[in-house]
Amino acid sequence: MPKAAADAKLLIQSLNKAYAATPTNLKIIDLYVLFAVVTALVQVVYMGIVGSFPFNSFLSGVLSCIGTAVLAVCLRIQVNKDNKEFKDLPPERAFADFVLCNLVLHLVIMNFLG
Amino acid sequence: MAWGLPPLAVLLLLAVIVAPLSSAVRPVSDAHRSAAAELFTAFPDGSLGDLETTYEAVSTFKILGVQKDKSLDGKACKLASDTLSSSSSSAKDLFHAARISGVLGCSIDAGVYDDVASRLKAVIKDTNSLQEFYYSVGGLLSLKEQGHSVVLSDADSIFHAIKALSQSDGRWRYDTNSAESSTFAAGIALEALAGVVSLSDAEVDPSMIGVVKNDIVKLFGTIKSYDDGTFYFDEKNVDASEYKGPITTSASVVRGFTSFANAVSGKLNIPGEKILGLAKFFLGIGLPGSAKDCFNQIKSLSLLENNSVFVPLILSLPSKVLSLTSKDQLKVEVTTVFGSAAPPLRVNLVQVLGSDSKVITADKELQYDVDNNVHYLDIDALKIDVGKYSLVFEISLQDPEHETVYTTGGRNTETVIVTGLIKVDKAEIGIAENDAGTSESVEKLDLLKDKQISLSANHLQKLHLSFQLATPLGRTFKPHQVFLKLKHESGVEHLFVVPGSARQFKIVLDFLGLVEKFYYLSGRYDLELSVGDASMENSFLRALGRLELDLPEPSEKAPRPPAQAVDPLAKFAPQKEISHIFRVPEKRPPKEVSLAFTGLTLLPFIGFLIGLMRLGVNLKNFPSLPGPAAFASLFHAGIGAVLLLYVLFWVKLDLFTTLKYLGFLSVFLVFVGHRALSYLSSTSTKQKTA
């Protein structure tokens, strides 16, 4: 229905405008999350095609992407200045946590990769 | 091999006992010669063993006339001469060596003989042990027999010394200290006394000789016997290591009394039947099992062959099975123990005892065949039927003077089996109804031909089989075995004994009563009849044919037929093939697909980088001052190193190595990161406040 399509277009445009206002560092984090999720999707499609034979490898690949995406989301929450809860937390500290957790995650992933 | 003697001797003697009241002996023959050649084998170094074994070997070979390698003689002579020359040889060694040299005729230096003689005389002077007396006197006697002049000067005192060791029952002690007396010692004592008498220069006191003759008679009072007229000497088995067994003990006594009888004048008062019994004992050993037994047997028999008391004459049968069909003659041989001809004599068949103890007194004289040295008789005249018989013979010497020289044992019993063809006739087989008893179908069988019959029956009927057996003389015959066997096609067999009466053999199989015994197995049964006996020349096992048997179905509680024996060699046949099931390998995708998707995975990363560039990412916040800049670079380098470590971990490292390096790197990274990030946070707070 043309009204619904026009409404959708209006909605997307307003979302884009609002999104443009977000600080750059948050946009970087969002881009990273998007990258991780797309990588995971590519792996799932591959598994769908060829079967899940080394299942541990599939799991470790997918979970590394999802894990790192989750950690990035946590980082975004903590770094966001508009977030009252984490007002006193310095962003460098949050970044340091992000790096540490990623390293631990990737160690486990590499062990499970086989 | 003393330990091997008793059981072997007992076994062989038992074999003699089993023959009921008959002596199954044959004189010494070529079989004994080959047995001796086998038993006395040379060792790899060419010798025949130690001195005693060598003497036994050469002596046995000489008596039997067995030809052997010249090198064995040479080796034995060398052994003997070495022993005689050596100054450390004992009286026992000199004794054996002198006897070896005597048998083989070795050429020994006269000086050596002188030396040996003086040493042996010295031993006699000093000793009071029976064995030492025996060895030294025996050695001196052997030297004298080889032509050397030896004389014993104080023979009387030596005689006394040996005689002093005798006991009242005719046996001897080994020396003054031992309390036990032994029959074996008596034998060697008598031999020593005989040697003393032969070697003395003056005549030995005749009264002493008379006493010894009496001792010999008393010794023969301790002789043991078996029912078939065999006599032997044996001792109580007190000490297993010292026990010598009947063969060695009897041989020792034979050597003793024959040498004493030969050395003294006047006859010994020993009954002839005992000497004959000893001869039968040694012949009854058959072919001996050990070298020592062989020597004892042959030596004793050779001494008995020519002894001056009584020469035993042996009655033996060359064949103990006589066939009526081939009209065999009963043949009897009477010879000395070594098979030499006997003096003229008559053999009478006194009695024939059947197995059912029926006595057929015959009293027929056997005719003599001079050329073959055999007494024979046609048994047709006796009208004896097939079966097992005990024949009683009586030997009588034609010259009455020979009665004092030879001993025949009077009556001798021998067992023979008379065989013949058994007539089988009036054989019938048939099936009858259970109640009626009259035969439904009867077939005449000819059991001597191979015709197969075919019958069928059910469980309500009976099978009956009958036939008659008759001996060549027309009497009824009861064989040892009359069996009817029914064999099912599955392999289960049933045996039935066919009972026999005076008139005929008849068996009736009532299948109604046999249903359970047959395990309810219906089907084809093969019939087999076997009739056999030792005296039946035409014993047979005949397949009669088959029987189709119809039995009712088994009930639940019916016994199962026994499992048929599996061929025990079947487990060595090829086994069942085992097919292993392997895990089917997973299907892997083709390489191109995998590589394509590896590329596709990297695409989002490129997209990420492009997006970063679009966002205007820059490095403006990188610290400019050298110190913090260094830390910041090191921070990034550290993260990079950790990621590189993870790649190495995936490629080749193991977890523990990785954790070790990670430990080092993480300490470094924490320190560096802390410095870098704290600098950054301090600059950003400065910016905020400023």
Side-chain angles (χ1 to χ4, degrees):
Chain A
M1 308 222 336
K3 188 141 191 304
D7 279 341
K9 250 172 91 174
L10 267 170
L11 184 62
I12 290 169
Q13 274 175 351
S14 67
L15 278 174
N16 269 339
K17 250 202 286 218
Y19 187 68
T22 54
T24 318
N25 49 353
L26 296 180
K27 280 203 200 142
I28 295 170
I29 296 174
D30 289 337
L31 187 61
Y32 182 73
V33 170
L34 182 66
F35 148 64
V37 170
V38 168
T39 312
L41 278 175
V42 169
Q43 287 178 64
V44 170
V45 166
Y46 178 65
M47 184 215 86
I49 294 178
V50 301
S52 68
F53 165 52
F55 195 57
N56 55 314
S57 313
F58 163 67
L59 274 182
S60 101
V62 166
L63 286 179
S64 98
C65 298
I66 302 300
T68 197
V70 166
L71 287 171
V73 166
C74 292
L75 178 66
R76 191 187 195 280
I77 292 170
Q78 289 172 353
V79 161
N80 198 352
K81 290 199 182 48
D82 296 331
N83 198 340
K84 299 286 185 298
E85 211 178 310
F86 290 101
K87 199 158 51 124
D88 297 323
L89 185 70
E92 286 78 17
R93 168 71 198 278
F95 180 67
D97 285 341
F98 171 73
V99 167
L100 178 70
C101 290
N102 256 319
L103 289 179
V104 171
L105 171 73
H106 282 90
L107 174 70
V108 174
I109 289 300
M110 290 310 243
N111 194 23
F112 196 52
L113 196 58
Chain B
M1 286 165 268
W3 61 267
L5 262 175
L8 191 64
V10 167
L11 274 173
L12 289 165
L13 289 173
L14 277 175
V16 172
I17 299 170
V18 161
L21 294 178
S22 74
S23 51
V25 295
R26 293 285 295 150
V28 174
S29 63
D30 283 336
H32 289 87
R33 292 188 177 82
S34 15
E38 267 180 34
L39 286 167
F40 288 107
T41 45
F43 285 80
D45 63 352
S47 75
L48 288 157
D50 64 355
L51 277 167
E52 189 168 352
T53 320
T54 310
Y55 166 67
E56 288 173 0
V58 299
S59 177
T60 310
F61 289 146
K62 178 142 185 221
I63 296 170
L64 287 174
V66 172
Q67 290 301 327
K68 60 197 190 316
D69 228 350
K70 283 278 181 287
S71 62
L72 284 175
D73 281 358
K75 262 245 165 342
C77 268
K78 183 160 184 326
L79 178 64
S81 67
D82 285 344
T83 315
L84 290 170
S85 325
S86 153
S87 57
S88 61
S89 306
S90 63
K92 181 173 174 182
D93 294 337
L94 294 173
F95 167 67
H96 289 307
R99 289 205 297 175
I100 292 173
S101 148
V103 167
L104 293 175
C106 304
S107 52
I108 310 273
D109 209 16
V112 173
Y113 275 159
D114 279 332
D115 183 45
V116 168
S118 57
R119 275 156 66 190
L120 289 175
K121 283 188 185 167
V123 169
I124 294 176
K125 224 188 271 300
D126 294 330
T127 187
N128 57 0
S129 139
L130 178 60
Q131 282 185 319
E132 292 290 305
F133 274 127
Y134 171 65
Y135 293 133
S136 38
V137 170
L140 290 171
L141 187 63
S142 177
L143 292 179
K144 180 174 176 179
E145 283 165 2
Q146 288 174 57
H148 200 80
S149 82
V150 179
V151 166
L152 272 180
S153 39
D154 50 352
D156 258 335
S157 61
I158 304 170
F159 200 96
H160 260 107
I162 300 175
K163 175 76 184 75
L165 293 167
S166 75
Q167 301 284 90
S168 53
D169 59 352
R171 293 153 79 195
W172 248 261
R173 288 172 299 154
Y174 277 106
D175 56 45
T176 45
N177 300 329
S178 66
E180 294 291 318
S181 62
S182 134
T183 313
F184 179 83
I188 64 176
L190 292 171
E191 226 182 312
L193 289 172
V196 169
V197 169
S198 314
L199 289 168
S200 85
D201 49 0
E203 207 187 305
V204 179
D205 187 6
S207 60
M208 292 297 308
I209 295 183
V211 174
V212 174
K213 281 188 187 172
N214 238 348
D215 283 335
I216 296 179
V217 174
K218 277 192 269 180
L219 182 65
F220 267 80
T222 68
I223 204 170
K224 299 192 178 146
S225 69
Y226 291 117
D227 290 338
D228 59 352
T230 308
F231 286 88
Y232 66 100
F233 287 96
D234 198 4
E235 315 210 75
K236 271 208 293 276
N237 187 357
V238 183
D239 184 356
S241 58
E242 293 291 320
Y243 179 63
K244 291 187 166 43
I247 299 179
T248 312
T249 317
S250 310
S252 164
V253 174
V254 166
R255 281 203 295 275
F257 92 82
T258 49
S259 48
F260 194 78
N262 290 340
V264 303
S265 59
K267 210 165 159 84
L268 288 178
N269 190 12
I270 304 171
E273 62 164 5
K274 291 192 177 170
I275 298 186
L276 181 67
L278 280 170
K280 282 187 186 172
F281 169 73
F282 283 110
L283 285 175
I285 296 171
L287 296 179
S290 74
K292 208 167 187 61
D293 284 347
C294 183
F295 165 71
N296 281 324
Q297 181 197 43
I298 299 298
K299 184 87 181 150
S300 313
L301 288 173
S302 78
L303 289 171
L304 287 172
E305 169 107 354
N306 298 319
N307 78 84
S308 57
V309 188
F310 282 114
V311 175
L313 294 173
I314 306 291
L315 180 144
S316 58
L317 266 60
S319 164
K320 290 164 97 57
V321 176
L322 307 168
S323 163
L324 288 176
T325 322
S326 48
K327 297 205 187 310
D328 284 348
Q329 284 178 334
L330 172 66
K331 292 205 174 91
V332 165
E333 281 180 0
V334 181
T335 58
T336 63
V337 293
F338 269 84
S340 320
L345 44 80
R346 277 192 304 273
V347 180
N348 268 30
L349 175 61
V350 173
Q351 254 187 15
V352 175
L353 291 155
S355 47
D356 48 358
S357 303
K358 253 184 30 191
V359 177
I360 309 168
T361 28
D363 211 1
K364 287 209 162 9
E365 186 179 328
L366 277 73
Q367 292 162 290
Y368 182 55
D369 178 3
V370 183
D371 302 320
N372 298 330
N373 188 24
V374 97
H375 301 260
Y376 63 92
L377 179 70
D378 281 318
I379 49 172
D380 284 348
L382 296 170
K383 296 257 177 300
I384 46 178
D385 212 345
V386 296
K388 201 166 170 180
Y389 295 96
S390 281
L391 304 174
V392 182
F393 298 97
E394 193 165 14
I395 306 174
S396 40
L397 292 159
Q398 281 176 357
D399 189 349
E401 277 180 18
H402 286 157
E403 303 267 342
T404 54
V405 178
Y406 295 98
T407 172
T408 60
R411 292 203 168 184
N412 288 286
T413 314
E414 295 286 335
T415 315
V416 292
I417 296 185
V418 179
T419 65
L421 288 172
I422 303 295
K423 280 196 292 287
V424 186
D425 50 24
K426 295 206 180 48
E428 287 179 349
I429 189 165
I431 306 288
E433 286 304 318
N434 209 343
D435 306 328
T438 52
S439 303
E440 194 182 82
S441 61
V442 176
E443 276 189 45
K444 292 234 182 296
L445 288 174
D446 188 354
L447 285 174
L448 299 171
K449 290 214 191 19
D450 230 346
K451 186 161 128 356
Q452 305 259 326
I453 51 117
S454 189
L455 297 168
S456 67
N458 60 34
H459 66 288
L460 295 171
Q461 292 173 321
K462 293 193 262 199
L463 172 82
H464 63 88
L465 167 71
S466 62
F467 53 91
Q468 288 180 355
L469 297 173
T471 67
L473 268 72
R475 299 195 200 111
T476 53
F477 181 68
K478 206 156 188 291
H480 292 143
Q481 296 177 330
V482 188
F483 296 130
L484 176 67
K485 182 161 91 168
L486 271 76
K487 184 168 163 178
H488 188 241
E489 52 201 347
S490 68
V492 180
E493 294 178 347
H494 306 279
L495 270 178
F496 299 95
V497 175
V498 180
S501 66
R503 239 177 7 100
Q504 62 168 347
F505 284 86
K506 182 173 169 121
I507 184 169
V508 175
L509 291 179
D510 187 355
F511 293 121
L512 193 60
L514 290 171
V515 167
E516 267 220 32
K517 187 170 184 308
F518 281 17
Y519 304 108
Y520 294 85
L521 287 171
S522 301
R524 203 189 81 188
Y525 281 85
D526 288 324
L527 298 166
E528 249 180 26
L529 178 68
S530 68
V531 175
D533 192 89
S535 44
M536 186 170 159
E537 282 172 16
N538 55 335
S539 304
F540 61 85
L541 171 68
R542 192 81 60 213
L544 297 176
R546 45 177 226 278
L547 169 72
E548 291 289 337
L549 195 55
D550 193 13
L551 296 176
E553 286 301 310
S555 60
E556 278 307 307
K557 287 211 211 71
R560 301 269 83 154
Q564 291 309 301
V566 179
D567 179 16
L569 293 176
K571 66 172 175 271
F572 298 119
Q575 299 286 328
K576 217 169 47 171
E577 187 89 19
I578 304 171
S579 60
H580 300 277
I581 302 172
F582 294 104
R583 186 169 62 98
V584 178
E586 296 282 341
K587 253 181 35 165
R588 305 308 297 267
K591 209 159 55 161
E592 296 76 19
V593 176
S594 301
L595 284 173
F597 266 89
T598 312
L600 268 180
T601 314
L602 292 173
L603 270 182
F605 182 64
I606 297 171
F608 175 64
L609 290 176
I610 295 172
L612 280 180
M613 286 200 308
R614 288 264 301 265
L615 283 171
V617 160
N618 54 41
L619 285 171
K620 285 205 191 93
N621 220 2
F622 199 79
S624 45
L625 295 172
F631 280 120
S633 324
L634 279 175
F635 178 58
H636 285 96
I639 294 178
V642 170
L643 293 176
L644 182 67
L645 177 67
Y646 287 170
V647 171
L648 278 176
F649 170 42
W650 184 50
V651 172
K652 65 173 182 181
L653 293 177
D654 63 358
L655 185 63
F656 301 105
T657 328
T658 313
L659 284 176
K660 188 170 69 174
Y661 290 136
L662 189 63
F664 299 139
L665 274 177
S666 60
V667 167
F668 167 73
L669 194 62
V670 160
F671 172 67
V672 160
H674 177 71
R675 290 296 291 270
L677 287 171
S678 55
Y679 174 73
L680 273 177
S681 75
S682 64
T683 45
S684 63
T685 42
K686 260 195 244 152
Q687 271 183 351
K688 249 198 250 170
T689 48

